[in-house]
Amino acid sequence: MNDFDKLVKEFEEIDPITYADILVEKSKRILPVLVNFSADGLTGVSIFSSFIFAAVAADGKLSEEEYALLYPALHAFLGDNLDYDSCVKTFKELRKEGKELKRVVDDMVDLIGLFSEDIKADIIVVCMLICAIDGKISFKEKAWIKQLIK
């Protein structure tokens, strides 16, 4: 087993409390860097959100755990009318946008390369955490993460 597969296994086995602690710690390190990177500050938050949403969409499925994680952001942006079933339907539609998602991934790879190795590693850890929230990092999620690591 290579180091990446070993790391994936470790992420899949993280307990919920450790998971939350790592996610908060990494987010507190990443967000200020992204906010300072952007001219208006808000774009930095948007960039971070894009990484989170892309991690959720990496396998083309929305698990209940991923929905629970995203709910506060979805609620803030879209209001009370977006329930789990509506989100699942939306994610299925996103799968059909393959070329657009490929472009987004390419943009993310370019963007992540602009930051220090520490921040790049933190962003990748957050993405891996998001992918592992349902206890399994799928083949598609692994492929997406590997693109970010390049």
Side-chain angles (χ1 to χ4, degrees):
M1 184 185 314
N2 68 31
D3 289 339
F4 181 74
D5 289 334
K6 184 177 179 182
L7 188 61
V8 164
K9 188 73 172 157
E10 289 174 14
F11 274 83
E12 291 173 339
E13 295 174 353
I14 293 176
D15 66 272
I17 292 172
T18 303
Y19 177 94
D21 289 346
I22 295 170
L23 189 59
V24 168
E25 172 198 337
K26 297 299 181 187
S27 296
K28 284 181 179 179
R29 286 182 47 159
I30 296 167
L31 271 172
V33 171
L34 294 178
V35 167
N36 288 332
F37 173 76
S38 65
D40 62 1
L42 293 176
T43 305
V45 173
S46 177
I47 292 166
F48 190 58
S49 298
S50 294
F51 276 100
I52 291 173
F53 284 112
V56 170
D59 65 354
K61 300 174 194 164
L62 179 67
S63 71
E64 290 184 39
E65 295 88 353
E66 290 167 333
Y67 172 75
L69 177 72
L70 292 177
Y71 181 78
L74 294 172
H75 177 72
F77 292 127
L78 304 170
D80 290 326
N81 298 332
L82 200 59
D83 61 6
Y84 175 67
D85 292 331
S86 299
C87 286
V88 168
K89 183 177 178 182
T90 300
F91 269 83
K92 285 181 181 177
E93 292 298 317
L94 284 176
R95 278 196 313 221
K96 296 175 185 172
E97 303 294 326
K99 287 185 180 180
E100 178 63 21
L101 289 176
K102 171 77 171 115
R103 187 191 60 75
V104 168
V105 170
D106 290 344
D107 290 347
M108 288 180 165
V109 169
D110 291 344
L111 180 67
I112 203 171
L114 299 175
F115 299 106
S116 71
E117 288 300 313
D118 289 342
I119 294 300
K120 180 179 176 179
D122 286 347
I123 291 170
I124 292 168
V125 165
V126 167
C127 291
M128 288 184 76
L129 285 168
I130 302 299
C131 290
I133 195 169
D134 57 1
K136 179 74 176 140
I137 299 179
S138 72
F139 178 78
K140 288 181 182 179
E141 290 168 328
K142 288 177 192 176
W144 180 75
I145 294 164
K146 286 179 179 178
Q147 289 179 49
L148 295 178
I149 293 172
K150 290 182 189 176

